[in-house]
Amino acid sequence: MGRRIKQIAAKPTLTNYLLSLTDERPCLFSAAVAFLALILRAMALLSLKDSIYFDFLLWDERVYHTWAMKIADGTYQSTSIYEFAPLPAYLMAFIYTLFSPDILYIRVLNIILGTLTCYLAYLIGKEVANRAIGLVACLIAALYKPFIFYSIVPLKTSLSLFLFALAIYFITAILNKPSPLKVLLLGIIAGLMLNVRMNYGIIIPLMLFILLLRLSKENAKLKALLVISVLFIAGTAMSMSPFLARNYKVAGKFALTTTQSGFNLYLGNNLENPDPYYRPVPFASSSPFKQGVQFTIEASRRMHKKVSPQEASLYWSREVLTAAVEQPAEFIWKLFQKVLVFFNQFEAGDHYHIGFVSNYVGFLKFPFFSLWLILPFGMAGMLVSIVRCKKLLALGAVFFLYALTLIAFFTNTRYRLPVAVILIPSAVIGIHVLGSFLKNKEFRNIALYASIVLGFFIVEFLPIRGTDDMTAYLNTHALILESKGFKDEAMAYWEKSSHMDKPFSAFANLSLAGRYFVRGDTERAVSCLDKIPENSFAAAAKHEMAGDMLVHQGQIEKAIAAYQRSLEINSGQRRPRLKIIRIYAKIDREKALQEKKQLRYISSFYDVF
């Protein structure tokens, strides 16, 4: 493929023009495109600053900000294995120690990482094909809206994307010209990746396999293969060792990944959830501060003994396997839906929806590149060129394995974002190769390319269940509005979410019930609660709020029953149990003591920070 591209480049084509243009100063042009990427991200941040989304931390943002501040001030005392990927928290803590605990510094860091990711797109394109391909890939990356967006929000996504792009660059560089230093650095990057996003773990063995396969085809001796293996493993161990050592020190166990894998696997394959996307469950809070803990509590309840987060993770993994064996047809249908979702144009977010936020951030209204355009051409470029280019074959294998992790768990915008690092240069190479097909009148290849593009365009726009659900983003927008004092506007967005009658409408109904209750409109509050089904993730909160209303009305026995029903659904809650204790402290001290004992047991699980 590399030779063919050079041959084509010798003819009067756009690639040839770009190559001749950059011959004298190749670094200048790539730096100029990277600078454009930096300017665009700075402008996007300034535009975001004028919106309500700028100074409100969403779920994972709040987790990592809180965690980083505790590390920075020396108060992080958890004795459990990491529940969340630790590297972003320590990096944030370093920034906070260096400057101050202001989340703006993390946004600036993410802009820098996002800009470097665009430059890496240039290097990847250059290593796979040539400078011209790299420059166009860099330009597309600079103008790719999801890349821009996740460079300006204080999530770990920008770090995750940067490390993935860095790994892809080193893979292509090693395939072109192996060296021990490159192998060691790739190993270090692999270890860091695992401590940012656990599903990167599956591609780490593939990296080593690609390196060994490359050397074996050059008839490398066994000693050389062993040296490469040792260097890669040593680099990985080097970057993982601080986190492994900490886990062993506090918990007495070596743990390669976080304790989230089991319950995330369950969330992605829960057959009671008809949607192919992430949906919370009734027995655990959707809050990242509580969700993992309450999954552990529920596993302990079902196993009739107190279990560790690791044991709970294994339990939930076994639950998924059991469901697959007992209901194979339903499980296969679920997986098939998730395959379609992976290739769908809908940008499902667990924090932000870029399209929704773009309505309130002027700069993001510009028609930048989006997934719906990149994916079909990227897949066509990869599939048409993969047999001709060994480097694209290696990147295709990484793409495939990483895609499998999202299909096994669940897909959302930020988890799917790394595949664009492979899709963007693949799209540029594919379009370039298509030009040669047209020039040489290779009609079969033209038809193959066109059919692949058309096929993925069709798949992208299939009406899959859940792709029309905007309720979570309406709820978030309402929550931010209320936090800024715009209560009536917030109510309007919650009402809109409620009327859509989707899974996350339950949160809107819960929020509306609380606001109506505060206003003294108990009838409307109860009506909102009645809309929340018993199998909803908000069912436990629904009964707790019903208990609060009954206490207010003086119906104590019914209030106790409501609180107990809430705890039957989610036994890991502490607040409803505290409310029961307060009631029993006045009317039945023995029951109050029993509930206090249970509360102490539940509280013993809460050791996230």
Side-chain angles (χ1 to χ4, degrees):
M1 177 71 182
R3 290 178 184 172
R4 180 167 186 173
I5 287 175
K6 289 176 182 177
Q7 290 170 359
I8 296 167
K11 300 174 183 178
T13 62
L14 177 61
T15 305
N16 184 38
Y17 174 72
L18 287 173
L19 282 171
S20 62
L21 193 65
T22 58
D23 268 340
E24 293 184 4
R25 296 179 180 178
C27 293
L28 179 63
F29 285 92
S30 58
V33 178
F35 184 68
L36 171 66
L38 177 65
I39 295 299
L40 290 174
R41 281 147 183 77
M43 292 173 68
L45 180 62
L46 289 173
S47 186
L48 183 72
K49 190 174 184 297
D50 294 331
S51 75
I52 63 171
Y53 286 89
F54 184 74
D55 56 359
F56 186 92
L57 295 182
L58 296 183
W59 331 126
D60 279 14
E61 296 171 348
R62 198 171 301 170
V63 166
Y64 275 102
H65 178 62
T66 303
W67 188 3
M69 286 198 301
K70 287 183 176 291
I71 294 171
D73 63 22
T75 59
Y76 175 52
Q77 301 293 333
S78 175
T79 57
S80 298
I81 290 168
Y82 292 121
E83 183 177 341
F84 306 97
L87 179 59
Y90 284 96
L91 179 59
M92 289 174 69
F94 174 74
I95 298 297
Y96 288 167
T97 303
L98 203 60
F99 299 104
S100 68
D102 187 339
I103 203 72
L104 177 62
Y105 293 116
I106 308 305
R107 295 184 190 271
V108 173
L109 173 65
N110 284 347
I111 285 178
I112 295 169
L113 293 173
T115 303
L116 290 173
T117 298
C118 295
Y119 187 74
L120 286 168
Y122 161 71
L123 294 179
I124 292 165
K126 178 187 170 187
E127 292 290 338
V128 174
N130 54 45
R131 287 193 311 276
I133 297 292
L135 276 174
V136 177
C138 184
L139 182 61
I140 293 173
L143 297 170
Y144 186 48
K145 187 183 283 190
F147 278 9
I148 294 173
F149 183 81
Y150 282 102
S151 295
I152 62 173
V153 294
L155 287 164
K156 66 179 182 180
T157 309
S158 194
L159 173 62
S160 167
L161 185 62
F162 167 73
L163 289 174
F164 187 88
L166 196 59
I168 295 299
Y169 162 66
F170 271 101
I171 290 171
T172 56
I174 291 169
L175 288 174
N176 276 337
K177 190 176 180 181
S179 78
L181 179 59
K182 290 176 185 175
V183 172
L184 179 65
L185 290 173
L186 180 60
I188 292 171
I189 294 162
L192 295 175
M193 289 170 68
L194 189 60
N195 284 287
V196 173
R197 196 168 301 292
M198 64 182 181
N199 53 337
Y200 284 150
I202 195 172
I203 63 177
I204 293 175
L206 176 63
M207 292 179 189
L208 180 57
F209 176 76
I210 290 170
L211 302 185
L212 296 178
L213 188 63
R214 166 70 172 83
L215 290 174
S216 66
K217 288 189 176 181
E218 292 188 350
N219 299 316
K221 294 181 180 179
L222 180 61
K223 183 179 178 181
L225 297 177
L226 286 173
V227 169
I228 290 298
S229 300
V230 169
L231 282 172
F232 180 82
I233 294 169
T236 305
M238 192 187 306
S239 55
M240 289 178 61
S241 58
F243 307 107
L244 289 171
R246 179 266 173 196
N247 279 341
Y248 185 79
K249 181 180 178 180
V250 302
K253 298 175 183 177
F254 285 112
L256 291 175
T257 61
T258 65
T259 58
Q260 291 184 327
S261 57
F263 76 76
N264 275 327
L265 188 66
Y266 183 85
L267 285 169
N269 296 281
N270 175 22
L271 297 181
E272 293 182 10
N273 166 27
D275 294 345
Y277 292 104
Y278 161 86
R279 298 290 182 258
V281 290
F283 57 77
S285 169
S286 59
S287 165
F289 286 96
K290 302 173 184 177
Q291 190 174 62
V293 173
Q294 292 178 359
F295 261 94
T296 302
I297 293 170
E298 179 64 14
S300 299
R301 187 187 69 80
R302 295 186 185 190
M303 297 173 72
H304 307 292
K305 64 176 182 178
K306 185 175 182 179
V307 298
S308 68
Q310 274 186 311
E311 291 169 323
S313 182
L314 288 173
Y315 170 81
W316 293 111
S317 297
R318 288 195 298 269
E319 286 291 286
V320 171
L321 292 175
T322 301
V325 171
E326 293 179 351
Q327 304 177 70
E330 292 86 348
F331 193 80
I332 290 170
W333 172 243
K334 184 87 169 179
L335 287 178
F336 177 69
Q337 284 184 298
K338 290 197 289 180
V339 170
L340 294 179
V341 157
F342 176 80
F343 293 106
N344 196 272
Q345 56 83 31
F346 182 65
E347 296 280 16
D350 56 342
H351 293 77
Y352 301 96
H353 183 275
I354 300 174
F356 185 90
V357 175
S358 297
N359 295 325
Y360 308 96
V361 180
F363 185 77
L364 295 177
K365 292 179 181 179
F366 284 100
F368 294 108
F369 288 112
S370 296
L371 181 74
W372 71 267
L373 184 61
I374 299 295
L375 189 142
F377 289 101
M379 292 303 300
M382 192 188 308
L383 294 174
V384 168
S385 309
I386 207 165
V387 294
R388 300 179 175 88
C389 180
K390 294 176 182 178
K391 292 181 281 292
L392 265 185
L393 180 61
L395 299 192
V398 174
F399 176 94
F400 176 75
L401 266 188
Y402 184 75
L404 282 182
T405 67
L406 301 191
I407 292 165
F409 288 84
F410 46 82
T411 294
N412 61 38
T413 306
R414 62 193 182 109
Y415 290 176
R416 186 169 59 180
L417 199 60
V419 301
V421 170
I422 297 172
L423 288 174
I424 289 173
S426 297
V428 181
I429 290 170
I431 292 171
H432 177 69
V433 171
L434 175 63
S436 74
F437 293 159
L438 292 169
K439 197 173 191 67
N440 298 323
K441 298 181 180 179
E442 299 178 34
F443 297 115
R444 285 187 180 181
N445 286 330
I446 294 169
L448 175 63
Y449 181 92
S451 62
I452 294 172
V453 170
L454 179 61
F456 278 102
F457 264 122
I458 291 170
V459 171
E460 276 193 308
F461 290 93
L462 287 176
I464 304 168
R465 183 185 177 102
T467 55
D468 60 342
D469 188 359
M470 299 297 291
T471 53
Y473 318 115
L474 290 166
N475 295 341
T476 300
H477 194 74
L479 190 66
I480 298 173
L481 283 170
E482 189 190 49
S483 73
K484 297 182 180 300
F486 303 111
K487 298 185 183 298
D488 291 338
E489 292 90 336
M491 292 283 282
Y493 279 95
W494 275 318
E495 290 284 4
K496 188 175 181 180
S497 174
S498 174
H499 290 320
M500 288 183 175
D501 195 24
K502 300 289 184 180
F504 286 106
S505 297
F507 181 83
N509 289 322
L510 191 67
S511 301
L512 290 169
R515 278 58 181 181
Y516 285 132
F517 178 55
V518 169
R519 294 179 180 183
D521 193 344
T522 305
E523 185 177 345
R524 291 189 72 177
V526 171
S527 175
C528 289
L529 291 182
D530 287 342
K531 294 178 183 178
I532 302 173
E534 286 296 295
N535 63 350
S536 167
F537 71 92
K542 158 190 168 179
H543 288 287
E544 181 188 354
M545 188 176 292
D548 294 344
M549 294 179 186
L550 291 164
V551 167
H552 182 73
Q553 295 168 353
Q555 301 183 54
I556 302 303
E557 292 298 325
K558 288 184 178 181
I560 291 173
Y563 291 139
Q564 288 175 336
R565 175 58 186 150
S566 178
L567 291 169
E568 285 173 8
I569 296 170
N570 181 357
S571 62
Q573 299 175 100
R574 290 183 288 183
R575 193 172 57 194
R577 202 172 296 277
L578 279 169
K579 292 174 181 178
I580 290 176
I581 290 170
R582 291 195 199 103
I583 293 172
Y584 278 147
K586 298 176 183 178
I587 61 175
D588 193 328
R589 294 185 63 82
E590 185 176 343
K591 286 186 177 180
L593 290 173
Q594 291 174 358
E595 292 293 340
K596 283 181 180 179
K597 182 180 178 181
Q598 184 64 16
L599 179 61
R600 282 194 297 272
Y601 169 74
I602 294 299
S603 297
S604 69
F605 287 88
Y606 284 83
D607 187 30
V608 177
F609 297 129

